[in-house]
Amino acid sequence: MDSTYFFLDPNSIVNWRTSTLIFYILIISVTYILVKISKKIYKIKILNKVFYLNIGYLLASFILISVKCFSVTGRDTRTGYYYNFLSADSLSSYNDQSVEFGFRLLNVLIHKVFGSYAAFLFIIGLLTVVPVLWLIWKYRKVIDRSSAIILYTCVFYFTGFSALRFALAASIVLISFDAFYEKKWVKAFVFLIIACSIHQTMIIMLLPMLLTFKKNNPKLFASISLVLLFVFFIISRNQISVLLSSSDRYSLYQVSESTQFGWEQIVYYIPFFGIYYLSSYESRNDRWGVLSFDFLATGFVVSNLGHIVFILGRMEYAFTPLILIVPFYIKKFINRRNDLRYLVDILVIIYCIARFLIYICQYYNLSAEMPYVSVFGWSI
């Protein structure tokens, strides 16, 4: 395709496009319906290895992978990432040396092997979306799959159109979370290190993992620790401002001079904590329950810190383990109160669509989420 499709003036103003909104809503709706109505799982044996397939989930996955991998949507995708890739002949020639090593290395490898920005976007898309879809399928027996898909598409999927590096790192965090739950400590921390090498803010994910090692009153310990963390950031915001100003990459982020609380985050997290506490006592206090609480509580606190330290402003979109945690407790609740299944489905849809609409209204111009632009040169 013509390389001009990759370019967007960094200072351009993006106009609202209803056609793009409809396209995005269709993606959310179709993938949700496909997963919701397709129940039968087929057992296939290939070379003495057994695979389990679900047609609806397979089609939904194909849609999400295709839309992401062939997308050139997003301000950063068509500006900074594009010019950085063009300079990726070697690590030393990479345009922005402040970018984390892992992401620079990935740029250089793809540039040397394929030499195509379209190939770069395709590979980044695969690495971002496939781990999420794979882990949703892996946990299919214990989570509500349709809730997981709509939560992913509405809260996390579209944020990755422009914030390529951030979304990729957040998907790798989900692999780390899965390994950590299974007590595969080396794998968990290796993938966390990889995520940090893509976007260093992912180091915050170490906190909920470490909190789970507290055996006595783990939730109380986590709550107190997170409150102290919040207070620390409030007290130290001037020092943090000085530290950020010394960084070439993060000097543009400011620190608020006033203490603010994110009421938006309270509204976002009330349903999460609500479904968590409506589940059975046993499911809240086993290993999964403690780990879930630590991630929920850390996500809530860190998201609120974004109102004080603006570099953390998008950290709410880093907590991809919520894609597994929340649907797990939705399924637990539905199993107990099957008579409320349809009401729960309706509330999940309303919540997720509301989250998506809030995001797209806030970022359609800032992140140039409109129009949707493909590598083939057409836009919606």
Side-chain angles (χ1 to χ4, degrees):
M1 68 174 277
D2 190 335
S3 62
T4 56
Y5 286 110
F6 293 130
F7 175 74
L8 178 71
D9 183 349
N11 300 314
S12 63
I13 296 176
V14 173
N15 296 318
W16 177 269
R17 276 209 189 185
T18 302
S19 59
T20 309
L21 177 66
I22 294 172
F23 177 62
Y24 290 163
I25 292 291
L26 276 174
I27 293 170
I28 294 168
S29 304
V30 171
T31 53
Y32 175 79
I33 291 170
L34 283 171
V35 174
K36 189 71 177 175
I37 65 175
S38 184
K39 304 293 185 184
K40 189 172 182 178
I41 296 178
Y42 296 91
K43 185 178 179 180
I44 301 175
K45 194 172 184 180
I46 303 175
L47 299 175
N48 294 322
K49 198 167 185 179
V50 176
F51 297 90
Y52 296 92
L53 297 177
N54 173 270
I55 301 301
Y57 192 78
L58 201 61
L59 290 173
S61 298
F62 176 77
I63 291 170
L64 293 176
I65 291 171
S66 299
V67 171
K68 169 61 176 171
C69 289
F70 295 116
S71 170
V72 198
T73 308
R75 191 176 298 277
D76 292 340
T77 304
R78 298 174 67 188
T79 53
Y81 290 125
Y82 176 50
Y83 289 114
N84 285 338
F85 181 79
L86 293 180
S87 69
D89 292 314
S90 65
L91 287 172
S92 59
S93 67
Y94 192 81
N95 184 52
D96 188 353
Q97 289 293 316
S98 64
V99 169
E100 285 81 350
F101 173 79
F103 193 71
R104 282 187 285 133
L105 180 61
L106 188 58
N107 271 260
V108 171
L109 291 175
I110 298 173
H111 189 275
K112 283 187 175 296
V113 175
F114 299 100
S116 164
Y117 189 56
F120 170 78
L121 293 175
F122 187 88
I123 293 169
I124 294 296
L126 283 178
L127 294 175
T128 302
V129 178
V130 170
V132 177
L133 296 174
W134 170 64
L135 284 169
I136 290 175
W137 182 248
K138 177 180 178 179
Y139 285 83
R140 66 189 181 276
K141 294 181 180 179
V142 295
I143 66 173
D144 187 71
R145 280 186 294 134
S146 58
S147 296
I149 282 292
I150 196 170
L151 183 63
Y152 172 53
T153 53
C154 288
V155 179
F156 300 96
Y157 181 69
F158 293 101
T159 64
F161 279 15
S162 181
L164 299 181
R165 190 164 56 92
F166 189 90
L168 173 59
S171 291
I172 297 172
V173 161
L174 189 59
I175 301 174
S176 176
F177 170 84
D178 168 59
F180 188 85
Y181 170 65
E182 294 182 337
K183 296 185 178 181
K184 298 175 181 177
W185 312 121
V186 174
K187 179 182 177 181
F189 289 112
V190 165
F191 274 98
L192 184 59
I193 290 170
I194 293 172
C196 292
S197 77
I198 303 295
H199 204 293
Q200 64 187 31
T201 56
M202 297 299 153
I203 191 64
I204 198 70
M205 296 301 170
L206 185 62
L207 179 59
M209 293 181 181
L210 293 177
L211 289 173
T212 61
F213 285 108
K214 182 72 169 66
K215 298 302 181 183
N216 299 321
N217 298 317
K219 294 180 186 177
L220 177 62
F221 176 76
S223 301
I224 294 172
S225 300
L226 291 168
V227 168
L228 291 175
L229 176 68
F230 191 81
V231 172
F232 168 78
F233 269 85
I234 293 173
I235 296 173
S236 306
R237 58 181 179 268
N238 292 332
Q239 288 83 355
I240 294 171
S241 180
V242 172
L243 183 64
L244 289 176
S245 64
S246 64
S247 167
D248 292 336
R249 179 160 195 84
Y250 297 110
S251 58
L252 56 91
Y253 293 96
Q254 299 176 345
V255 177
S256 176
E257 295 181 358
S258 61
T259 301
Q260 306 176 56
F261 208 71
W263 296 106
E264 187 178 282
Q265 299 304 322
I266 295 177
V267 174
Y268 287 168
Y269 271 85
I270 283 177
F272 293 165
F273 281 106
I275 197 67
Y276 176 80
Y277 279 104
L278 284 172
S279 64
S280 65
Y281 176 83
E282 292 77 14
S283 66
R284 296 197 310 270
N285 291 277
D286 57 11
R287 175 172 170 74
W288 177 270
V290 173
L291 186 60
S292 297
F293 177 85
D294 289 342
F295 267 89
L296 283 169
T298 306
F300 175 67
V301 170
V302 171
S303 298
N304 272 289
L305 284 174
H307 295 268
I308 301 170
V309 182
F310 297 147
I311 190 176
L312 299 175
R314 275 196 174 185
M315 282 304 292
E316 64 184 284
Y317 303 114
F319 283 82
T320 47
L322 296 179
I323 298 167
L324 302 178
I325 291 169
V326 175
F328 173 86
Y329 289 102
I330 289 175
K331 188 177 182 70
K332 284 287 184 182
F333 179 75
I334 290 174
N335 288 342
R336 289 177 57 227
R337 295 295 307 271
N338 193 56
D339 56 313
L340 297 177
R341 169 180 289 275
Y342 295 114
L343 176 61
V344 171
D345 286 342
I346 292 169
L347 291 176
V348 167
I349 293 170
I350 291 173
Y351 173 85
C352 291
I353 293 295
R355 285 288 303 263
F356 166 72
L357 291 175
I358 291 170
Y359 170 78
I360 203 68
C361 288
Q362 290 177 339
Y363 287 98
Y364 80 90
N365 176 41
L366 183 63
S367 296
E369 303 283 357
M370 293 182 174
Y372 173 82
V373 183
S374 81
V375 296
F376 305 111
W378 50 264
S379 63
I380 298 176

